[in-house]
Amino acid sequence: MRWELDPSPSPRKVLLTYALFLSLALLGLGLLFLLYGVPPLKAYALLLSPLTDTLGLAEVMRRTIPLLLIGAGLALAFRIGFFNIGAEGQLLMGAVGAAYVALFVPPGLWSLPLMFLFGGSLGALWAGLAAWLRARFGVNEILTTLMQNYLVYYLVVYLVAGPWKGQMVFGFLYTDRFPPEAQLPRLGDTLVHWPTLVLGMVAAMGLQVLLFRTPLGFEWRVLGENPEAARYLGLKGGRLILLAALLSGFLAGLAGVGEVAGIHLRLLEPAQISLGYGFTAILAAWLARGRPLGVLLTAPLLGLILAGGDALKLALSMPFRVVDVAAGLLLLSFIGAEALSRRRPVWRR
Amino acid sequence: MEEALLRAVLFGTPLLLAGLGALLSERGGVVNLGVEGMMALSALVAFAVGLKVHPALGVLAGMGVGALLGLFLGVFAVSLRANQFVAGLALAALGLGASGLLGKRYEGVPLPNPLPEGILAALALALAFGLHLLFSRSRFGLYLRSVGENPKAADLFGVSVDGVRYLALALGGGMIGLAGAYLSLAYRPSWTDGMTAGLGWVAIALVILAAWQPLRAIFGAYLFGLLFFLQFRLQGSVPIPSEAFAAMPYLLVILVLALSGRARAPKALGQPFDRGR
């Protein structure tokens, strides 16, 4: 027996395959819960608990914001064949840019726009560097963007422990609080910084239009789906990839601005600014199957997992790593289902 | 000076082991980006077995976990023909997450009878030479290389492409598991969350730096080891912030990758094999 390509699987088969792999992922997760010493059903219930009250829903929404911004950009980048896995670092770059403006530029009406612009640009620069290294030296961007994550991590640690350490803080590692002009408005007394949420939705819709309704988008899709054909058509691959990298880095930078200007109101230790939004957004983008608009659905779904992970952590004092496990299993079940649903068994040699 | 070289070798050993493991599967055409997670989980299992039974058995357990995770990746990368890069990344997250979750109860527990680092370092060196011979002298090496360069031709000659790839992933996974076991049973006989500290990713870069040659990987790994040592030694004695030293290895990986240029990778690297196409 062997597996042959099935070019047009029936919707029923696709659905069944996905259901099978999702239940395998849930089974695996449950097994880990058991090994850790928690009844799986209780853990699943806690994971979904944010859905049951408004405070929980606000938590889901606040975690959706960075996933939406980053995921939309990554959906574009992946589609074109630029495997940007450095969104975590680009987000931190955005946070650094925002903090610089907030702390060192005289505050005013211009503060927030300038923070978004500068933070986004630093994120874009950081992603662009990887695209340039790929075009110029043929360096695999998966490795460069990953290494760049560590570089910014230490840059932020250096800044909050050294030159930017707050005058008003003593034993702690963070900068002074941003002035009111540099703080994003929130919905009521939740942590939902709505201007960033709007930006994320606009970004997802804008990239969708750019990708499917413009000549540039057409070139991008040709490059992503058939690099050979792109070369034949004389498309400038390097430039197209650089542009996509800059866009995805810019959006990740904006997410970083939102986190520091909307939630923490200061620059602080990198692990507290982002607990893996960059990685979770990869999942959001992959689940959206290269459609930026799809992230409007997948980002809240993963926002729920992050918020549920928080609930697990609080209720059972479980390490936050549980979110990595859930994300990894989901990603595996998804790519497995996608691969298997496009094949059929053939009973001959 | 002698101390520097010794530390370089001892620090370079997990890199060498994990790098050889990744190299082995890449010669067969499968990218394994899961190294970091595989190392983390095998370090934990090796430690747990080493603590409760015996460290020597812990090494075997670590290798076994690594091999199993390699086969697990094979289900996605070889049988299902899924995107190898994404499958590897997911495995990295899964391994890191699972080890952080299950290892919580071992955090801060000391290992009473750690293994000598020297023996494992020598073993790593022997493995590098062994792999070199395997690639250049053995039938399996020939099959492996042909599967990595031109799977279609290998298939026509009756070589089981999938079988060779699974075997390469399992053997490579065993070496990656050994790297994890070295960390938790010998190098730093304890277990902490995140103790692999990016070594798995550096190991993947090492494969490129070594241009897919096991003997070159020895020099690459020890060079990184030396730089880690210097970073540790210079810290505090020069007016450079410690964060800059901590960031150095990652900067170095980027520089090395840029300078090593377009080293020739196995032709079928990263591409699932489909007989029908």
Side-chain angles (χ1 to χ4, degrees):
Chain A
M1 184 199 87
R2 53 198 201 83
W3 297 90
E4 266 184 6
L5 276 181
D6 185 353
S8 51
S10 68
R12 210 191 95 177
K13 179 183 163 195
V14 174
L15 209 69
L16 276 176
T17 323
Y18 275 76
L20 171 74
F21 271 83
L22 257 177
S23 19
L24 282 178
L26 278 179
L27 212 69
L29 193 61
L31 192 71
L32 268 170
F33 283 140
L34 264 183
L35 279 173
Y36 182 75
V38 175
L41 285 180
K42 187 180 169 194
Y44 291 142
L46 274 167
L47 210 51
L48 293 178
S49 64
L51 288 178
T52 52
D53 59 279
T54 38
L55 233 91
L57 284 174
E59 265 309 288
V60 174
M61 215 191 291
R62 124 173 137 86
R63 300 210 165 261
T64 300
I65 297 171
L67 296 177
L68 196 58
L69 277 162
I70 302 171
L74 290 185
L76 176 81
F78 291 167
R79 178 133 203 163
I80 293 149
F82 184 74
F83 286 96
N84 176 9
I85 58 166
E88 192 80 9
Q90 291 142 25
L91 177 149
L92 289 176
M93 273 306 220
V96 167
Y100 177 80
V101 173
L103 297 170
F104 301 107
V105 174
L109 271 179
W110 51 82
S111 286
L112 282 170
L114 208 58
M115 284 160 78
F116 276 117
L117 197 69
F118 192 52
S121 304
L122 279 187
L125 191 81
W126 206 231
L129 184 67
W132 179 75
L133 282 170
R134 169 170 158 177
R136 177 77 181 74
F137 299 104
V139 182
N140 183 321
E141 74 275 11
I142 293 183
L143 286 169
T144 32
T145 50
L146 193 81
M147 294 297 130
Q148 283 176 292
N149 286 346
Y150 291 100
L151 293 184
V152 215
Y153 181 94
Y154 288 111
L155 172 71
V156 174
V157 172
Y158 167 69
L159 288 174
V160 296
W164 291 8
K165 188 172 155 75
Q167 313 274 306
M168 305 300 168
V169 300
F170 296 99
F172 299 101
L173 289 187
Y174 42 73
T175 65
D176 283 329
R177 209 179 155 89
F178 293 171
E181 291 88 342
Q183 298 179 8
L184 280 167
R186 298 166 179 167
L187 279 182
D189 49 5
T190 68
L191 289 172
V192 181
H193 38 108
W194 59 267
T196 332
L197 183 63
V198 174
L199 271 179
M201 287 156 70
V202 170
M205 290 186 274
L207 288 187
Q208 180 83 7
V209 171
L210 198 61
L211 191 56
F212 290 98
R213 294 273 181 274
T214 66
L216 172 67
F218 177 72
E219 294 188 358
W220 266 340
R221 281 181 290 143
V222 172
L223 182 71
E225 272 144 46
N226 196 340
E228 288 285 312
R231 209 170 307 138
Y232 186 69
L233 289 172
L235 299 182
K236 292 196 169 50
R239 209 174 292 175
L240 285 171
I241 285 177
L242 180 67
L243 192 59
L246 289 173
L247 267 173
S248 74
F250 189 84
L251 290 175
L254 294 189
V257 177
E259 291 310 296
V260 290
I263 291 172
H264 306 292
L265 312 178
R266 48 168 65 100
L267 190 68
L268 65 172
E269 283 175 274
Q272 292 188 46
I273 300 174
S274 170
L275 272 166
Y277 285 131
F279 182 78
T280 316
I282 294 178
L283 188 50
W286 206 260
L287 285 167
R289 307 184 125 198
R291 288 184 194 82
L293 207 56
V295 178
L296 285 177
L297 275 177
T298 59
L301 184 74
L302 291 162
L304 171 65
I305 291 183
L306 288 183
D310 263 351
L312 267 176
K313 193 176 103 179
L314 282 177
L316 306 172
S317 63
M318 213 175 207
F320 196 76
R321 290 281 191 189
V322 62
V323 172
D324 283 344
V325 176
L329 280 173
L330 261 179
L331 192 52
L332 277 176
S333 79
F334 185 80
I335 61 171
E338 187 188 62
L340 189 65
S341 67
R342 279 190 288 106
R343 305 194 159 263
R344 58 171 173 226
V346 178
W347 301 95
R348 57 172 166 75
R349 274 287 302 181
Chain B
M1 185 61 201
E2 262 170 43
E3 195 214 344
L5 288 179
L6 180 70
R7 298 307 312 172
V9 168
L10 292 183
F11 192 85
T13 293
L15 269 178
L16 180 58
L17 285 168
L20 289 174
L23 192 152
L24 180 56
S25 67
E26 287 203 17
R27 281 300 280 265
V30 183
V31 170
N32 179 356
L33 290 191
V35 180
E36 179 84 2
M38 291 167 72
M39 254 171 107
L41 201 55
S42 50
L44 171 67
V45 174
F47 182 78
V49 173
L51 187 72
K52 297 214 166 116
V53 194
H54 190 273
L57 220 61
V59 171
L60 287 181
M63 291 174 72
V65 169
L68 279 179
L69 289 174
L71 291 174
F72 182 65
L73 180 64
V75 172
F76 293 88
V78 179
S79 288
L80 291 171
R81 291 157 176 83
N83 183 316
Q84 297 177 2
F85 296 95
V86 185
L89 285 177
L91 181 61
L94 188 59
L96 279 172
S99 68
L101 206 59
L102 302 176
K104 205 183 157 198
R105 66 187 75 157
Y106 295 103
E107 203 123 15
V109 181
L111 187 73
N113 46 349
L115 290 174
E117 296 156 290
I119 293 178
L120 291 173
L123 181 62
L125 206 57
L127 273 173
F129 281 99
L131 263 193
H132 174 74
L133 289 179
L134 182 81
F135 289 155
S136 57
R137 296 284 149 84
S138 75
R139 186 166 291 248
F140 174 70
L142 181 70
Y143 290 165
L144 183 76
R145 282 183 293 139
S146 64
V147 160
E149 294 288 341
N150 192 341
K152 208 162 215 166
D155 182 55
L156 282 175
F157 276 102
V159 177
S160 160
V161 174
D162 289 7
V164 169
R165 287 187 167 174
Y166 265 110
L167 192 55
L169 275 169
L171 289 175
M175 291 185 206
I176 295 166
L178 183 58
Y182 173 83
L183 283 180
S184 66
L185 292 173
Y187 187 75
R188 203 182 305 151
S190 61
W191 194 83
T192 42
D193 190 9
M195 72 183 296
T196 44
L199 275 175
W201 304 110
V202 181
I204 294 167
L206 176 66
V207 179
I208 302 172
L209 172 67
W212 291 270
Q213 305 289 340
L215 295 184
R216 284 208 215 175
I218 302 174
F219 293 103
Y222 293 167
L223 179 69
F224 272 118
L226 188 65
L227 289 160
F228 272 96
F229 168 77
L230 289 179
Q231 163 208 330
F232 178 72
R233 178 48 61 86
L234 289 177
Q235 210 159 340
S237 58
V238 279
I240 297 174
S242 62
E243 288 85 7
F245 280 111
M248 208 74 86
Y250 308 109
L251 189 63
L252 209 85
V253 170
I254 296 179
L255 282 179
V256 158
L257 288 179
L259 293 177
S260 65
R262 296 168 197 267
R264 216 188 63 83
K267 273 211 189 73
L269 186 61
Q271 295 161 6
F273 170 67
D274 241 319
R275 190 183 273 167
R277 289 210 290 196

